[in-house]
Amino acid sequence: MKTCLLSVPYDSGHHRKRLAVGPPILIDAVAQQLPAWGHSARKAEVFVDAPFFTEVTTSFAVARAVAKQVAEAKQRGEFPIVFSGNCNAAALGTLSGLQEDLGVIWFDCHGDFNTPETTIGGFLDGMALSIVAGQCWTQLAESIPGYAPVAEDKIILAGARDVDALEAHRLAASAVRLITPATLAQPENAFDDFTLPVHAVYLHLDLDVLDPDYAQVNEYSTPGGLSPETLYHAIDSIRRRYTIAGVGITAYDPSLDPNARIPEVAVEVIKRIVS
């Protein structure tokens, strides 16, 4: 199988700073292993020439560039794996570039379901899943080639444990299916009661879904997350149920991972998806 490893080294509109340092490191780790799994790897990188970097404007420009490259990878018959500093560029760009009727399975420490009206921190990435669902920033989202909102009942949010009060209210009132870390940690199949009305999904992995007792992924990670083994079991369960059309892996700050434990997790996740 052909694979496109797409690096998106942006964090809140900034190039190769903080979380934006992580994508090339993860790609190098995965690329070394792909041939052993019977995959050829083509590396690509997103760059936008913004005259003035701002979080909102630049982030949507990056998402447009990701969509273009994912669409081209699909035309080449390549499986897209997108490594990004932030969630919004990976998810919006990959979903838009694939241009398929997909469900979304979203692993994250956070809900990412705020809107400009509910956010208390003003962080665009905390609205990523809301943008995917077509509930905010609609004009800019529609500027992404191929963008179409994903219905709430086609979305699973897995492993979230750090959710704002207003965001929690929005999630409770939505059709998004929630799987807690405690449910994922049970030995039985956590996805048995969460069937999506689709055959294929976009798999989104914000690495801070992992528990910081294993490794600190970024400064936003909080206790109560998943062990690597729990994550691997969940990936296996998803593969048994759905075709995975594309993958986004995000939010790794290598400066907080001095023992380089997170690249090992990324390699094992991709191995379970593609092998």
mmCIF file of all heavy atoms in Angstrom, residues 39-68:
data_model
loop_
_atom_site.group_PDB
_atom_site.id
_atom_site.type_symbol
_atom_site.label_atom_id
_atom_site.label_comp_id
_atom_site.label_asym_id
_atom_site.label_seq_id
_atom_site.Cartn_x
_atom_site.Cartn_y
_atom_site.Cartn_z
ATOM 1 N N HIS A 39 4.488 -1.213 3.220
ATOM 2 C CA HIS A 39 4.011 0.079 2.741
ATOM 3 C C HIS A 39 5.169 0.909 2.195
ATOM 4 O O HIS A 39 6.262 0.926 2.766
ATOM 5 C CB HIS A 39 3.352 0.872 3.878
ATOM 6 C CG HIS A 39 2.003 0.372 4.255
ATOM 7 N ND1 HIS A 39 0.853 1.054 3.986
ATOM 8 C CD2 HIS A 39 1.625 -0.770 4.879
ATOM 9 C CE1 HIS A 39 -0.176 0.353 4.435
ATOM 10 N NE2 HIS A 39 0.265 -0.745 4.986
ATOM 11 N N SER A 40 4.902 1.597 1.111
ATOM 12 C CA SER A 40 5.836 2.621 0.652
ATOM 13 C C SER A 40 5.392 3.954 1.237
ATOM 14 O O SER A 40 4.198 4.191 1.438
ATOM 15 C CB SER A 40 5.847 2.701 -0.874
ATOM 16 O OG SER A 40 4.563 3.071 -1.358
ATOM 17 N N ALA A 41 6.336 4.821 1.542
ATOM 18 C CA ALA A 41 6.024 6.088 2.191
ATOM 19 C C ALA A 41 6.489 7.259 1.341
ATOM 20 O O ALA A 41 7.637 7.283 0.884
ATOM 21 C CB ALA A 41 6.673 6.156 3.568
ATOM 22 N N ARG A 42 5.615 8.195 1.127
ATOM 23 C CA ARG A 42 5.980 9.468 0.503
ATOM 24 C C ARG A 42 5.769 10.563 1.540
ATOM 25 O O ARG A 42 4.686 10.719 2.082
ATOM 26 C CB ARG A 42 5.120 9.750 -0.732
ATOM 27 C CG ARG A 42 5.488 11.077 -1.434
ATOM 28 C CD ARG A 42 4.635 11.307 -2.671
ATOM 29 N NE ARG A 42 3.238 11.514 -2.354
ATOM 30 C CZ ARG A 42 2.693 12.710 -2.048
ATOM 31 N NH1 ARG A 42 3.450 13.792 -2.002
ATOM 32 N NH2 ARG A 42 1.405 12.807 -1.790
ATOM 33 N N LYS A 43 6.822 11.309 1.811
ATOM 34 C CA LYS A 43 6.730 12.418 2.763
ATOM 35 C C LYS A 43 6.375 13.702 2.029
ATOM 36 O O LYS A 43 6.856 13.957 0.924
ATOM 37 C CB LYS A 43 8.044 12.607 3.504
ATOM 38 C CG LYS A 43 8.446 11.476 4.417
ATOM 39 C CD LYS A 43 9.748 11.831 5.129
ATOM 40 C CE LYS A 43 10.261 10.716 5.999
ATOM 41 N NZ LYS A 43 11.527 11.088 6.682
ATOM 42 N N ALA A 44 5.536 14.505 2.672
ATOM 43 C CA ALA A 44 5.203 15.828 2.146
ATOM 44 C C ALA A 44 5.043 16.768 3.326
ATOM 45 O O ALA A 44 4.863 16.328 4.470
ATOM 46 C CB ALA A 44 3.922 15.772 1.308
ATOM 47 N N GLU A 45 5.114 18.055 3.041
ATOM 48 C CA GLU A 45 4.990 19.033 4.122
ATOM 49 C C GLU A 45 4.163 20.221 3.650
ATOM 50 O O GLU A 45 4.260 20.650 2.494
ATOM 51 C CB GLU A 45 6.369 19.509 4.588
ATOM 52 C CG GLU A 45 6.310 20.492 5.752
ATOM 53 C CD GLU A 45 7.669 20.734 6.402
ATOM 54 O OE1 GLU A 45 8.414 19.761 6.610
ATOM 55 O OE2 GLU A 45 7.976 21.909 6.701
ATOM 56 N N VAL A 46 3.363 20.742 4.564
ATOM 57 C CA VAL A 46 2.536 21.917 4.283
ATOM 58 C C VAL A 46 3.291 23.173 4.705
ATOM 59 O O VAL A 46 3.884 23.234 5.789
ATOM 60 C CB VAL A 46 1.197 21.825 5.044
ATOM 61 C CG1 VAL A 46 0.506 23.182 5.092
ATOM 62 C CG2 VAL A 46 0.291 20.788 4.394
ATOM 63 N N PHE A 47 3.264 24.160 3.812
ATOM 64 C CA PHE A 47 3.793 25.484 4.148
ATOM 65 C C PHE A 47 2.889 26.531 3.529
ATOM 66 O O PHE A 47 2.503 26.417 2.365
ATOM 67 C CB PHE A 47 5.224 25.660 3.632
ATOM 68 C CG PHE A 47 5.780 27.036 3.896
ATOM 69 C CD1 PHE A 47 6.197 27.389 5.161
ATOM 70 C CD2 PHE A 47 5.840 27.987 2.880
ATOM 71 C CE1 PHE A 47 6.692 28.668 5.418
ATOM 72 C CE2 PHE A 47 6.335 29.259 3.130
ATOM 73 C CZ PHE A 47 6.756 29.599 4.395
ATOM 74 N N VAL A 48 2.520 27.529 4.314
ATOM 75 C CA VAL A 48 1.738 28.642 3.776
ATOM 76 C C VAL A 48 2.537 29.920 3.962
ATOM 77 O O VAL A 48 3.146 30.152 5.004
ATOM 78 C CB VAL A 48 0.360 28.763 4.458
ATOM 79 C CG1 VAL A 48 -0.503 27.550 4.163
ATOM 80 C CG2 VAL A 48 0.486 28.947 5.962
ATOM 81 N N ASP A 49 2.546 30.713 2.931
ATOM 82 C CA ASP A 49 3.315 31.958 2.933
ATOM 83 C C ASP A 49 2.391 33.084 3.371
ATOM 84 O O ASP A 49 1.887 33.846 2.556
ATOM 85 C CB ASP A 49 3.891 32.221 1.544
ATOM 86 C CG ASP A 49 4.867 33.391 1.545
ATOM 87 O OD1 ASP A 49 5.243 33.843 2.647
ATOM 88 O OD2 ASP A 49 5.240 33.853 0.453
ATOM 89 N N ALA A 50 2.184 33.160 4.683
ATOM 90 C CA ALA A 50 1.292 34.191 5.219
ATOM 91 C C ALA A 50 2.099 35.450 5.514
ATOM 92 O O ALA A 50 3.110 35.399 6.212
ATOM 93 C CB ALA A 50 0.608 33.699 6.490
ATOM 94 N N PRO A 51 1.660 36.600 5.012
ATOM 95 C CA PRO A 51 2.409 37.843 5.256
ATOM 96 C C PRO A 51 2.368 38.274 6.712
ATOM 97 O O PRO A 51 3.263 38.943 7.200
ATOM 98 C CB PRO A 51 1.707 38.861 4.355
ATOM 99 C CG PRO A 51 0.335 38.299 4.150
ATOM 100 C CD PRO A 51 0.491 36.817 4.153
ATOM 101 N N PHE A 52 1.302 37.865 7.434
ATOM 102 C CA PHE A 52 1.178 38.215 8.843
ATOM 103 C C PHE A 52 0.464 37.064 9.533
ATOM 104 O O PHE A 52 -0.703 36.783 9.259
ATOM 105 C CB PHE A 52 0.400 39.516 9.023
ATOM 106 C CG PHE A 52 0.265 39.946 10.458
ATOM 107 C CD1 PHE A 52 1.353 40.429 11.147
ATOM 108 C CD2 PHE A 52 -0.950 39.847 11.123
ATOM 109 C CE1 PHE A 52 1.253 40.816 12.477
ATOM 110 C CE2 PHE A 52 -1.072 40.243 12.446
ATOM 111 C CZ PHE A 52 0.037 40.726 13.128
ATOM 112 N N PHE A 53 1.157 36.366 10.427
ATOM 113 C CA PHE A 53 0.612 35.156 11.023
ATOM 114 C C PHE A 53 -0.363 35.496 12.145
ATOM 115 O O PHE A 53 -0.020 36.193 13.098
ATOM 116 C CB PHE A 53 1.739 34.275 11.561
ATOM 117 C CG PHE A 53 2.524 33.608 10.478
ATOM 118 C CD1 PHE A 53 3.673 34.194 9.972
ATOM 119 C CD2 PHE A 53 2.099 32.418 9.932
ATOM 120 C CE1 PHE A 53 4.399 33.582 8.966
ATOM 121 C CE2 PHE A 53 2.811 31.791 8.919
ATOM 122 C CZ PHE A 53 3.962 32.380 8.435
ATOM 123 N N THR A 54 -1.583 35.029 12.003
ATOM 124 C CA THR A 54 -2.590 35.121 13.061
ATOM 125 C C THR A 54 -3.188 33.738 13.238
ATOM 126 O O THR A 54 -3.223 32.940 12.300
ATOM 127 C CB THR A 54 -3.707 36.108 12.706
ATOM 128 O OG1 THR A 54 -4.400 35.625 11.543
ATOM 129 C CG2 THR A 54 -3.154 37.490 12.423
ATOM 130 N N GLU A 55 -3.668 33.439 14.439
ATOM 131 C CA GLU A 55 -4.150 32.089 14.701
ATOM 132 C C GLU A 55 -5.282 31.691 13.763
ATOM 133 O O GLU A 55 -5.254 30.623 13.147
ATOM 134 C CB GLU A 55 -4.628 31.960 16.150
ATOM 135 C CG GLU A 55 -5.095 30.546 16.470
ATOM 136 C CD GLU A 55 -5.636 30.386 17.880
ATOM 137 O OE1 GLU A 55 -5.894 31.412 18.538
ATOM 138 O OE2 GLU A 55 -5.817 29.233 18.301
ATOM 139 N N VAL A 56 -6.291 32.551 13.630
ATOM 140 C CA VAL A 56 -7.475 32.167 12.866
ATOM 141 C C VAL A 56 -7.179 32.140 11.373
ATOM 142 O O VAL A 56 -7.377 31.118 10.695
ATOM 143 C CB VAL A 56 -8.646 33.117 13.171
ATOM 144 C CG1 VAL A 56 -9.839 32.789 12.271
ATOM 145 C CG2 VAL A 56 -9.050 33.005 14.638
ATOM 146 N N THR A 57 -6.697 33.245 10.823
ATOM 147 C CA THR A 57 -6.472 33.329 9.383
ATOM 148 C C THR A 57 -5.475 32.278 8.907
ATOM 149 O O THR A 57 -5.709 31.565 7.922
ATOM 150 C CB THR A 57 -5.965 34.732 9.008
ATOM 151 O OG1 THR A 57 -6.904 35.699 9.461
ATOM 152 C CG2 THR A 57 -5.808 34.859 7.505
ATOM 153 N N THR A 58 -4.349 32.159 9.601
ATOM 154 C CA THR A 58 -3.327 31.221 9.178
ATOM 155 C C THR A 58 -3.788 29.779 9.357
ATOM 156 O O THR A 58 -3.495 28.915 8.519
ATOM 157 C CB THR A 58 -2.021 31.458 9.953
ATOM 158 O OG1 THR A 58 -1.656 32.830 9.839
ATOM 159 C CG2 THR A 58 -0.897 30.590 9.408
ATOM 160 N N SER A 59 -4.524 29.488 10.436
ATOM 161 C CA SER A 59 -4.973 28.117 10.670
ATOM 162 C C SER A 59 -5.892 27.636 9.549
ATOM 163 O O SER A 59 -5.792 26.477 9.101
ATOM 164 C CB SER A 59 -5.690 28.021 12.017
ATOM 165 O OG SER A 59 -4.786 28.251 13.083
ATOM 166 N N PHE A 60 -6.775 28.491 9.073
ATOM 167 C CA PHE A 60 -7.647 28.078 7.979
ATOM 168 C C PHE A 60 -6.876 28.002 6.657
ATOM 169 O O PHE A 60 -7.185 27.154 5.809
ATOM 170 C CB PHE A 60 -8.852 29.006 7.863
ATOM 171 C CG PHE A 60 -9.940 28.667 8.851
ATOM 172 C CD1 PHE A 60 -10.046 29.349 10.051
ATOM 173 C CD2 PHE A 60 -10.845 27.650 8.591
ATOM 174 C CE1 PHE A 60 -11.035 29.033 10.974
ATOM 175 C CE2 PHE A 60 -11.848 27.322 9.490
ATOM 176 C CZ PHE A 60 -11.938 28.018 10.694
ATOM 177 N N ALA A 61 -5.870 28.854 6.485
ATOM 178 C CA ALA A 61 -5.017 28.733 5.300
ATOM 179 C C ALA A 61 -4.277 27.398 5.313
ATOM 180 O O ALA A 61 -4.135 26.730 4.282
ATOM 181 C CB ALA A 61 -4.032 29.895 5.243
ATOM 182 N N VAL A 62 -3.814 26.988 6.483
ATOM 183 C CA VAL A 62 -3.144 25.700 6.608
ATOM 184 C C VAL A 62 -4.126 24.566 6.299
ATOM 185 O O VAL A 62 -3.784 23.607 5.585
ATOM 186 C CB VAL A 62 -2.543 25.536 8.018
ATOM 187 C CG1 VAL A 62 -2.035 24.118 8.230
ATOM 188 C CG2 VAL A 62 -1.405 26.533 8.231
ATOM 189 N N ALA A 63 -5.344 24.657 6.805
ATOM 190 C CA ALA A 63 -6.352 23.619 6.533
ATOM 191 C C ALA A 63 -6.636 23.503 5.039
ATOM 192 O O ALA A 63 -6.801 22.394 4.510
ATOM 193 C CB ALA A 63 -7.635 23.918 7.300
ATOM 194 N N ARG A 64 -6.673 24.641 4.349
ATOM 195 C CA ARG A 64 -6.890 24.598 2.893
ATOM 196 C C ARG A 64 -5.728 23.883 2.198
ATOM 197 O O ARG A 64 -5.928 23.094 1.264
ATOM 198 C CB ARG A 64 -7.062 26.015 2.340
ATOM 199 C CG ARG A 64 -8.378 26.675 2.748
ATOM 200 C CD ARG A 64 -8.633 27.951 1.970
ATOM 201 N NE ARG A 64 -7.737 29.030 2.336
ATOM 202 C CZ ARG A 64 -7.968 29.904 3.319
ATOM 203 N NH1 ARG A 64 -9.078 29.817 4.046
ATOM 204 N NH2 ARG A 64 -7.117 30.873 3.580
ATOM 205 N N ALA A 65 -4.511 24.155 2.663
ATOM 206 C CA ALA A 65 -3.337 23.513 2.065
ATOM 207 C C ALA A 65 -3.331 22.008 2.350
ATOM 208 O O ALA A 65 -2.960 21.198 1.486
ATOM 209 C CB ALA A 65 -2.059 24.155 2.602
ATOM 210 N N VAL A 66 -3.755 21.624 3.551
ATOM 211 C CA VAL A 66 -3.849 20.193 3.876
ATOM 212 C C VAL A 66 -4.874 19.515 2.983
ATOM 213 O O VAL A 66 -4.637 18.427 2.444
ATOM 214 C CB VAL A 66 -4.214 20.001 5.364
ATOM 215 C CG1 VAL A 66 -4.506 18.529 5.649
ATOM 216 C CG2 VAL A 66 -3.090 20.496 6.259
ATOM 217 N N ALA A 67 -6.033 20.148 2.801
ATOM 218 C CA ALA A 67 -7.078 19.562 1.954
ATOM 219 C C ALA A 67 -6.566 19.320 0.542
ATOM 220 O O ALA A 67 -6.848 18.269 -0.061
ATOM 221 C CB ALA A 67 -8.300 20.485 1.932
ATOM 222 N N LYS A 68 -5.815 20.267 0.020
ATOM 223 C CA LYS A 68 -5.275 20.120 -1.331
ATOM 224 C C LYS A 68 -4.318 18.928 -1.405
ATOM 225 O O LYS A 68 -4.389 18.109 -2.333
ATOM 226 C CB LYS A 68 -4.558 21.404 -1.738
ATOM 227 C CG LYS A 68 -3.963 21.394 -3.145
ATOM 228 C CD LYS A 68 -3.364 22.764 -3.471
ATOM 229 C CE LYS A 68 -2.800 22.809 -4.891
ATOM 230 N NZ LYS A 68 -1.626 21.931 -5.052
#
